[in-house]
Amino acid sequence: MRTPTTVLIDRPYAPLQKRPLPAGRPRAWYIMHNRRLKAMRLAIALLDSGVYAPSYATDKRIRHTAEVIGIRPPSSATCTMVRTLMRKRH
């Protein structure tokens, strides 16, 4: 039986080339869109580092992961969204 190991992130996150967002949407749409993108990046980084359960993804751990991959610390709402993304099963 294989024992679980922690995978360290060995290089900084390199985002894909950005495209302009569609014009004419309400400001709240842009805020939510960017929050979702950040939450997805953080959820992927947490999964890559060995955090598979949302209960282990505390705000402190999520914020530390953001620091490690080089993005701004997330708000509490974004941390909640990260845990929600990790909880989804399809």
Side-chain angles (χ1 to χ4, degrees):
M1 180 175 212
R2 200 174 126 166
T3 59
T5 59
T6 301
V7 178
L8 298 175
I9 301 169
D10 59 349
R11 57 193 156 112
Y13 169 75
L16 298 173
Q17 185 158 357
K18 294 183 179 183
R19 295 182 312 192
L21 293 173
R25 307 259 179 159
R27 180 169 169 74
W29 183 89
Y30 296 104
I31 292 169
M32 185 56 73
H33 175 76
N34 289 330
R35 180 170 284 154
R36 283 188 196 116
L37 291 178
K38 185 180 219 177
M40 284 189 283
R41 286 193 299 268
L42 286 167
I44 291 167
L46 285 165
L47 291 169
D48 286 346
S49 68
V51 179
Y52 300 111
S55 58
Y56 292 115
T58 61
D59 285 0
K60 184 177 177 181
R61 180 169 278 177
I62 293 170
R63 288 185 176 114
H64 174 72
T65 303
E67 183 181 324
V68 168
I69 63 174
I71 59 177
R72 291 179 56 130
S75 65
S76 296
T78 304
C79 290
T80 301
M81 191 176 286
V82 169
R83 285 187 289 276
T84 302
L85 285 171
M86 293 176 75
R87 198 173 288 120
K88 293 286 183 184
R89 302 260 181 195
H90 292 289

